[in-house]
């Protein structure tokens, strides 16, 4: 399966945000994510980088 | 392999933009993409939606 894990960078460390992500959809200042188990989350921030071969999505919180 | 194809929506139709994408990185108003063959492109616009299980990235051109 080709899902990827989404991580948030906090204080320079990668922290898991949602595992096994299938769908990503930017919506204004948020990112809607849904994983293969049907779990949905809305992240306040943006995509920093993704590597599909590494199954990795890096998210960055919005700077206030 | 878990790469995905990137498509641009033009006049309601999906047109292939880059095949076998590995890396995506939003950079201001652009999206940097690199595929598994090392080909690199910079798209002026944003990510509309991705489904990793469907190996599909939909890109949307910036509205002027």
């Amino acid at each position: 399966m080709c899902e990827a894990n989404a991580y948030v960078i906090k204080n320079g460390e990668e922290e898991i945000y949602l595992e096994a992500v299938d769908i990503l959809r930017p919506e204004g200042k948020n990112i809607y994510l849904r994983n293969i188990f049907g779990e949905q989350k809305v992240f306040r921030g943006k995509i920093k980088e993704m590597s599909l071969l590494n199954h990795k999505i890096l998210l960055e919180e919005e700077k206030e």
Side-chain angles (χ1 to χ4, degrees), chain A residues 1 3-6 17-24 32-41 57:
Chain A
M1 297 276 271
E3 66 275 9
N5 292 329
Y17 178 74
L18 185 62
E19 287 181 301
V21 172
D22 172 20
I23 306 284
L24 278 103
Y32 166 86
L33 300 100
R34 192 174 76 213
N35 73 7
I36 61 169
F37 310 111
E39 194 181 344
Q40 301 173 71
K41 288 181 95 169
I57 302 161

Side-chain angles (χ1 to χ4, degrees), chain A residues 6-10 13-17 43 59-61:
Chain A
Y7 299 85
V8 185
I9 301 167
K10 283 192 178 174
E13 306 262 312
E14 295 173 4
E15 195 174 281
I16 186 80
Y17 178 74
F43 178 77
L59 302 172
E60 193 170 41
E61 287 180 329

Side-chain angles (χ1 to χ4, degrees), chain A residues 39-54:
Chain A
E39 194 181 344
Q40 301 173 71
K41 288 181 95 169
V42 175
F43 178 77
R44 183 79 172 172
K46 56 187 184 175
I47 298 166
K48 184 176 167 69
E49 181 163 340
M50 305 183 51
S51 168
L52 302 182
L53 297 191
N54 290 333

